[in-house]
């Protein structure tokens, strides 16, 4: 590990207990910063309501740390929108945001569009499939942004159990993202959960970053932020244990392909020869190929979008 990274681990890795809520609230009031929480959601009716309810109770009613909770529904066919709204979130449908640009499928697309329908100086992203959710996930990762003006982006770090086994979750992280980062961006080797969906950043940074439309968004954002603001502006906070729905191996393969593609573009900014992934499933006549396209589109920095600029002027 680079000496720079070892130093970073000691100076930019914290625990949620390092910043109690009263200290965060005092910093928020002193600096006048506002906080938005965004949940990208697709068919998450079983979990999204509980997450919204916990954030509202702990961080809006008990302590006024969060100013708004926005659930961006990316086309759910279940009751995700109704459940989220009943729990107290403002629900916005992806296709209603920036309608002149047809929406692409993918998580990154939703996160990018969320910048147009939120107002916070600090934007906190939380996945909508978390179980046994704690508001520490939000207070922990927004804490450094409220208290330290030199920090621009904070990732959550946590244990990720799989089938009851500690530390066995995050398979794409260990098999794809961590090797890529260690080999090509060793300054980022200290991040425990580089692909984690719980992170917060200053709007002033997010609006300058391109957003891969799919699963590559977390890796792309981390790499681009490193180049834009430097390692010392990045941090991570231990928020405990993350429990969520796990995907099957083939879905993880498609995720890994998208992440590799995101890394490839950042390494060469070149042309993809074959932006697709072929996997195999056993059928009646043996193994049958299934070919999936790999996300190849990225959204430009939001600061370049006319509607966003007009909203800021207004």
């Amino acid at each position: 590990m680079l000496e720079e990274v070892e130093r970073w681990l000691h100076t930019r890795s914290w625990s949620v207990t390092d910043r109690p809520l009263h200290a965060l609230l005092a910093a928020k009031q002193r600096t006048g910063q506002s906080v938005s929480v965004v949940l990208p959601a697709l068919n998450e009716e079983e979990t999204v309501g509980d997450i919204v309810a916990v954030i509202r109770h702990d961080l809006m009613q008990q302590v006024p740390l969060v100013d708004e909770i926005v659930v961006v529904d990316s086309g759910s066919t279940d009751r995700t929108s109704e459940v989220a709204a009943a729990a107290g979130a403002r629900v916005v449908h992806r296709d209603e945001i920036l309608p002149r640009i047809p929406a692409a499928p993918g998580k990154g697309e939703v996160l990018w569009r969320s910048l147009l329908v939120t107002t916070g100086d600090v934007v906190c992203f939380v996945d909508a499939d978390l179980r046994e959710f704690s508001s520490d996930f939000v207070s922990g990762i927004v804490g450094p942004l409220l208290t330290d003006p030199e920090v621009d982006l904070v990732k959550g770090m946590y244990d990720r159990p799989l089938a009851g086994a500690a530390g066995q979750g995050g398979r794409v992280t260990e098999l794809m993202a961590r090797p890529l980062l260690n080999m090509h961006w060793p300054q980022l080797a200290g991040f425990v959960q580089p692909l984690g969906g719980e992170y917060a950043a200053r709007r002033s940074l997010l609006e300058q970053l391109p957003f891969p439309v799919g699963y590559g968004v977390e890796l792309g954002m981390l790499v681009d932020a490193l180049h834009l603001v430097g390692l010392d502006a990045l941090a991570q906070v231990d928020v405990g244990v993350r429990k969520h729905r796990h995907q099957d191996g083939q879905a993880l393969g498609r995720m890994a392909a998208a992440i590799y593609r995101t890394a490839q573009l950042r390494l060469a900014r070149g042309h993809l020869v074959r932006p697709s992934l072929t996997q195999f499933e056993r059928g009646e006549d043996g193994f049958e190929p299934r070919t999936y396209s790999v996300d190849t589109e990225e959204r430009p920095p939001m600061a370049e979008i006319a509607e966003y600029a007009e909203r800021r002027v207004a």
Side-chain angles (χ1 to χ4, degrees):
M1 183 178 290
L2 296 176
E3 183 177 334
E4 178 185 9
V5 177
E6 291 184 358
R7 176 192 57 77
W8 178 86
L9 280 169
H10 289 291
T11 61
R12 286 292 186 262
S13 295
W14 297 292
S15 167
V16 64
T17 58
D18 291 335
R19 293 175 176 82
L21 278 176
H22 67 83
L24 299 186
L25 186 60
K28 181 176 187 287
Q29 293 172 337
R30 182 176 65 255
T31 61
Q33 298 178 88
S34 55
V35 177
S36 299
V37 176
V38 172
L39 279 72
L42 177 63
N43 294 329
E44 303 293 357
E45 67 176 0
E46 293 184 6
T47 51
V48 68
D50 289 340
I51 297 171
V52 170
V54 168
I55 297 171
R56 277 190 58 82
H57 176 269
D58 293 359
L59 303 180
M60 296 182 82
Q61 296 169 347
Q62 297 281 72
V63 176
L65 189 71
V66 170
D67 297 281
E68 63 176 351
I69 306 174
V70 179
V71 171
V72 182
D73 191 326
S74 59
S76 298
T77 56
D78 65 2
R79 298 182 61 253
T80 290
S81 292
E82 293 87 343
V83 170
R90 177 162 61 92
V91 178
V92 185
H93 292 271
R94 176 199 62 194
D95 296 347
E96 297 173 355
I97 307 170
L98 202 61
R100 72 173 176 86
I101 300 178
K107 178 184 179 183
E109 177 82 358
V110 174
L111 301 184
W112 181 70
R113 290 175 186 259
S114 75
L115 296 181
L116 265 167
V117 293
T118 53
T119 59
D121 302 300
V122 172
V123 182
C124 174
F125 299 120
V126 176
D127 282 350
D129 66 342
L130 302 189
R131 302 180 184 277
E132 301 178 33
F133 178 78
S134 166
S135 59
D136 285 350
F137 275 73
V138 174
S139 60
I141 57 181
V142 304
L145 296 163
L146 295 175
T147 58
D148 190 338
E150 295 184 353
V151 174
D152 287 326
L153 185 148
V154 182
K155 297 281 292 190
M157 57 176 168
Y158 30 69
D159 295 313
R160 297 184 69 176
L162 176 64
Q168 295 304 303
R171 290 163 287 173
V172 175
T173 293
E174 301 304 327
L175 297 175
M176 174 60 72
R178 198 176 308 286
L180 278 172
L181 292 175
N182 275 263
M183 287 187 288
H184 298 296
W185 296 282
Q187 287 178 295
L188 298 175
F191 277 93
V192 175
Q193 297 292 352
L195 300 186
E198 288 68 51
Y199 50 100
R202 300 192 191 282
R203 177 177 294 273
S204 57
L205 171 62
L206 292 173
E207 65 188 16
Q208 297 181 70
L209 298 177
F211 276 61
V213 300
Y215 284 122
V217 63
E218 274 83 23
L219 183 134
M221 187 178 297
L222 205 55
V223 169
D224 292 341
L226 173 68
H227 289 294
L228 193 63
V229 296
L231 182 60
D232 282 340
L234 313 180
Q236 60 185 349
V237 174
D238 187 347
V239 292
V241 179
R242 184 185 196 268
K243 297 181 180 180
H244 66 111
R245 182 186 67 252
H246 292 281
Q247 301 192 57
D248 62 36
Q250 292 211 330
L252 294 179
R254 296 190 290 274
M255 184 184 302
I259 290 164
Y260 178 76
R261 170 262 171 194
T262 300
Q264 180 189 47
L265 289 184
R266 277 152 182 77
L267 286 169
R269 297 293 176 183
H271 175 66
L272 275 177
V273 176
R274 188 171 180 269
S276 61
L277 174 73
T278 299
Q279 297 177 319
F280 293 87
E281 298 177 7
R282 184 181 289 279
E284 294 181 359
D285 299 320
F287 286 104
E288 300 175 355
R290 299 283 188 273
T291 299
Y292 301 88
S293 62
V294 175
D295 298 320
T296 57
E297 187 173 358
E298 295 195 6
R299 296 304 191 187
M302 186 58 77
E304 297 178 6
I305 300 298
E307 289 88 340
Y308 187 76
E310 290 169 2
R311 191 194 73 163
R312 296 188 68 185
V313 170

